[in-house]
Amino acid sequence: MQMLSTRGGAAVTPSMAILRGLAPDGGLYVPASFPTFTAAEIEAMVPMRYAERAFAVLSRFLPDFDAQELRDAIDGAYGSGFDCAQIAPVVKAGPHAHALELWHGPTLAFKDMALQLLPYLLTLSGKKHGETREVFILVATSGDTGKAALEGFLDVPGTRCCVFYPEGGVSRAQYLQMVTTGGKNTHVIAVRGNFDDAQTGVKRIFSDPQFAKEMDRQGRVLSSANSINFGRLVPQIVYYFSAYADLLGEGAIRMGDAVNFSVPTGNFGDILAADYAQKAGLPVGKLICASNENNVLTDFIRTGTYDIRTRAFHRTISPSMDILISSNLERLLFDLSGRDGARIQELMTRLSQDKVYTIAPSMLDALRARYAAGYVDEAGIRAEIARAWRDDHILMDPHTAVASAVLREYQQETGDSTPSVIVSTASPYKFGAAVLESISGSVSGDDFTCCQALSELTGTSVPDAIARLPQLPVRHNAVCDKDAMAQAVLDALR
Ligand SMILES: *Cc1c(COP(=O)(O)O)cnc(C)c1O
């Protein structure tokens, strides 16, 4: 299997795509062809442990890795560090849905599913291509990716990791998780700007030949752990197969039945992994793209126009979805355009120059055949957290609540009774204050007092990874302007 660039550049192997992150032409790497899983192969996953399901999927998407390499990487990633043996359990979420819980890893959000594995894939890829330089990972985070990347790369030999986050744009727990990170190869820098500024700044560093030269001089090579890296996407495909196998196992569906997934979406990585699972043969019905007030994707899926000309950026209680430029959408556009790299190049140029583009009607039809979309505002998120606790005794974080509310609205509007899965992306304790306020109507004190109160109110326990945060020393306090990110990296390396 080869990987193509969405902007038409030369094809490479999966390991090269992972090593590079972004294609040299600025495009994203996508599979030139998809493996196909037969019904029998999917049914065979039912009795498997998560690690075995991961091997079944990864070995087909990453044919240039040998079996032993993949098994070792998977065991390293999912062997310990998760607080639940199933790794990604499916639970009942009220009368009309299940929830796929992706937050049992070390940083309590779904980013761990991929970022626990990516360092292995990246160092293996480096070895395959004779890379002797230190692989230097630059990350822009809206909150959860940063800590998950720092945790994944922490003291991994031959790697270094630098995270940029929007100053004041992440929750208190997310902030403390990042700035208390230890290790000899980690850097954390606040950017005076929002997530899009941080992401744009990182992209600019990646496309700066001077910077690459300086890194090379220092014995370093840049790579990305953002969801533009194919190595982030592949591990996410696994859990859609895993969820389907679990639903089969408990008799909630029969082999071949379609399942809808409602995915709380920001950079379009998580939902695109479901799309790729479908392309690889998983019986998926509708992919429901759920957004918060930053609802550019809702409008795009409904109208075919992606327009950020006059769109305000909203800071919400689901900060990991506070994004206006959704990077992975480019991969979907490439597919919808019939793999027309020149056309994608043109759309992306429009987006950066005019801040707006419209896709052809044929592309929009193809999009709407597989996707539905909706959004909820802040009050809607809080109401859904309260409702889920009151009616179903389920404690949801704000991101999961977005997916849940949008799914319920979709089901009411369309009458679609296809079995449905809410993708649950973070522990409620990662956003303790917002969750407590939603179910009790008031908050007092900081995030940590709120977590205690939430624990007492609901009879659930505060995860260790949160409880110990206030005791840890702050190790990172660099701040930079959004136009000075490259210099901030050089300073950090000095
Ligand atoms: C990153 C994140 C999302 C959005 O996922 P994308 O792949 O960026 O669409 C949703 N919820 C949580 C908790 C996240 O950390």
Side-chain angles (χ1 to χ4, degrees), residues 238-260:
V238 175
Y239 50 72
Y240 290 101
F241 279 92
S242 179
Y244 195 91
D246 282 346
L247 291 176
L248 279 176
E250 69 170 64
I253 54 170
R254 281 185 300 184
M255 186 58 223
D257 287 351
V259 172
N260 290 347

Side-chain angles (χ1 to χ4, degrees), residues 334-382:
F334 184 67
D335 186 45
L336 296 173
S337 73
R339 313 192 142 204
D340 184 346
R343 175 100 187 103
I344 300 309
Q345 178 80 62
E346 189 189 310
L347 291 176
M348 292 303 118
T349 305
R350 290 252 170 88
L351 182 62
S352 67
Q353 287 175 2
D354 311 338
K355 310 272 180 245
V356 59
Y357 64 78
T358 299
I359 58 173
S362 60
M363 281 172 75
L364 181 58
D365 289 344
L367 173 66
R368 300 193 46 170
R370 297 168 60 211
Y371 284 80
Y375 79 98
V376 262
D377 62 14
E378 295 288 272
I381 298 176
R382 292 182 203 278

